[in-house]
Amino acid sequence: MLRRNIRLRREYLYRKSLEGKERLLYEKKRKIKEALEEGKPIPTELRNEEAALRQEIDLEDNYTSIPKTHIDDEYANATVRDPKILLTTSRDPSAPLIQFVKELKFVFPNAERMNRGGQVISEIIESCRAHEFTDVILVHEHRGIPDGLIISHLPFGPTAYFGLLNVTRHEIKDKKAIGTMPEAYPHLILDNFKTKLGERTANILKHLFPVPKPDTKRIVTFANRSDYISFRHHIYEKPGGPKSVELKEIGPRFELRLYQVKLGTMEQSEAQIEWVIRPYMNTTKKRSFIGNEPEPDDKRKRNKA
C-alpha cells in the first residue's frame, strides 16, 4: 500500500509538471485555428510547426482539445462516489471543541468523528487512504475556543487552511427554536467566489457535500464578504403553499478565513504551496482575493443618482 501511494503521488506530480508544456501547445494550436478561421496568414513563429500542429488539430475533439490540470486529477472521482469524511481534533480537546465537532458531524453528510488520542497526522492520513476516505477535517482550538480548520483532500490534496472565528450555535435562539439537525443531503449556496482563488476555494468546499435530492429542505450557505466566508445552516418550510417560504436557522454559525492552500495532503511538509496570505496583504484594504469587494454605501448612492 505504501509503495502504491508513493507511485501514485509521483505520477500525479509528473502529470502536474507537464501542464506548462500542454498549455503552451494549446496556445499554439489556438493561434493556428484562429488564423485559419479568419483567413489570415499563419504567424511567422509557427510556420515550421504548422503541418504537425494541423495534423493534431484534425485528430482532436471537444473533449481532448482542452488541456487538463492537476485540479481535474484531484477531484476526478468526485462525481463517481459520495464524499466520505473523517473529523478529528487537536490533541486533548476541550469540551467546547468536542461539542463543535459533534455538530460538524451532522453538517457534513457521511462524516465520521474520531477521537485523536495519541495518533500522529501521518498515521491518520494513511489509515484514511486505506479505508477510502475522500477528505480529512482537523479542527484546532486556542484556550477552549475553536480557531482553526484544515481540510485535506485525499489521496493527493489539496489542503486548505482556514482561520475559524465567531463559532456559535446555541446562542442563536433557544433550544426549542433551533430543533434537531436533519441528515438529508443539503442544497449548497456559494456566494461571491469570483476570482481564480475564489473558484478554487469553492471547489474545495463544495466537494465536501454529496449531490442532494431535488426536494430536500436543507440549505447550507457559504457567503464571502471581504474574504471572510460566513457559514449558515437553514431548513425551509412552505406552510401556506409554494409561495410562502419560512426559513429556520439550525446552526452552527461560524466564519472562515482562508490563509493557505497547499498542493498535497496534510502530512506532506514538502508539498508545494499554491497560495498563502502574506503580512503585506493585510494592508490592501481595497483588494479582495476570493470575491468581488462590495461597494461602499456612498459610492452606491452616487451610481444611483
Side-chain angles (χ1 to χ4, degrees), residues 10-42:
R10 284 177 178 172
E11 289 177 1
Y12 166 71
L13 291 175
Y14 175 70
R15 289 195 300 271
K16 184 178 178 298
S17 68
L18 296 177
E19 286 181 17
K21 297 177 182 178
E22 292 176 356
R23 174 60 61 179
L24 181 61
L25 184 62
Y26 171 74
E27 290 298 325
K28 290 180 179 179
K29 292 177 184 176
R30 184 182 61 81
K31 289 179 181 178
I32 290 177
K33 281 183 181 179
E34 289 180 354
L36 292 174
E37 289 173 358
E38 298 174 4
K40 294 181 179 179
I42 301 297

Side-chain angles (χ1 to χ4, degrees), residues 80-294:
V80 178
R81 58 192 180 100
D82 289 343
K84 184 180 178 184
I85 301 169
L86 180 77
L87 279 165
T88 189
T89 64
S90 52
R91 288 197 177 96
D92 194 20
S94 63
L97 183 61
I98 293 173
Q99 178 64 30
F100 179 60
V101 172
K102 285 181 180 178
E103 292 171 358
L104 285 183
K105 181 182 181 297
F106 291 102
V107 169
F108 299 108
N110 304 327
E112 297 182 18
R113 185 172 62 88
M114 185 192 76
N115 294 325
R116 172 77 177 274
Q119 286 189 303
V120 297
I121 292 297
S122 57
E123 293 175 353
I124 294 173
I125 296 296
E126 285 303 319
S127 177
C128 289
R129 283 198 185 105
H131 291 87
E132 296 186 343
F133 280 85
T134 61
D135 297 271
V136 176
I137 298 179
L138 179 67
V139 189
H140 285 279
E141 67 177 340
H142 178 68
R143 294 184 178 180
I145 300 174
D147 71 335
L149 188 138
I150 304 173
I151 301 173
S152 186
H153 183 67
L154 301 179
F156 306 124
T159 300
Y161 296 78
F162 294 93
L164 195 58
L165 306 96
N166 305 326
V167 178
T168 58
R169 178 172 190 246
H170 296 286
E171 291 85 346
I172 299 172
K173 292 178 181 178
D174 58 81
K175 293 184 179 179
K176 291 183 180 178
I178 293 175
T180 58
M181 285 193 188
E183 296 187 20
Y185 295 169
H187 292 294
L188 283 183
I189 299 175
L190 297 163
D191 181 47
N192 196 23
F193 292 86
K194 302 294 186 181
T195 64
K196 287 289 184 183
L197 179 63
E199 292 174 1
R200 178 69 156 153
T201 307
N203 209 36
I204 292 170
L205 293 173
K206 77 179 182 181
H207 283 107
L208 297 173
F209 297 88
V211 178
K213 293 182 178 179
D215 58 346
T216 183
K217 296 182 179 180
R218 184 182 170 199
I219 304 169
V220 165
T221 305
F222 292 96
N224 171 50
R225 295 294 180 273
S226 301
D227 287 350
Y228 286 88
I229 303 168
S230 299
F231 173 88
R232 297 295 184 266
H233 189 194
H234 296 84
I235 58 173
Y236 71 89
E237 296 176 353
K238 298 179 180 179
K243 292 187 178 180
S244 64
V245 178
E246 290 184 3
L247 275 179
K248 180 180 178 183
E249 187 171 1
I250 54 178
R253 282 185 186 179
F254 53 86
E255 318 294 326
L256 296 171
R257 191 177 189 201
L258 180 71
Y259 64 87
Q260 183 174 302
V261 179
K262 190 168 68 172
L263 291 175
T265 49
M266 203 183 304
E267 86 285 7
Q268 293 171 346
S269 57
E270 76 284 356
Q272 179 184 349
I273 294 175
E274 181 177 352
W275 182 87
V276 63
I277 192 167
R278 301 293 184 186
Y280 68 86
M281 293 180 180
N282 292 325
T283 63
T284 57
K285 294 181 180 179
K286 294 183 179 179
R287 185 176 178 187
S288 185
F289 297 98
I290 295 178
N292 294 334
E293 187 70 24

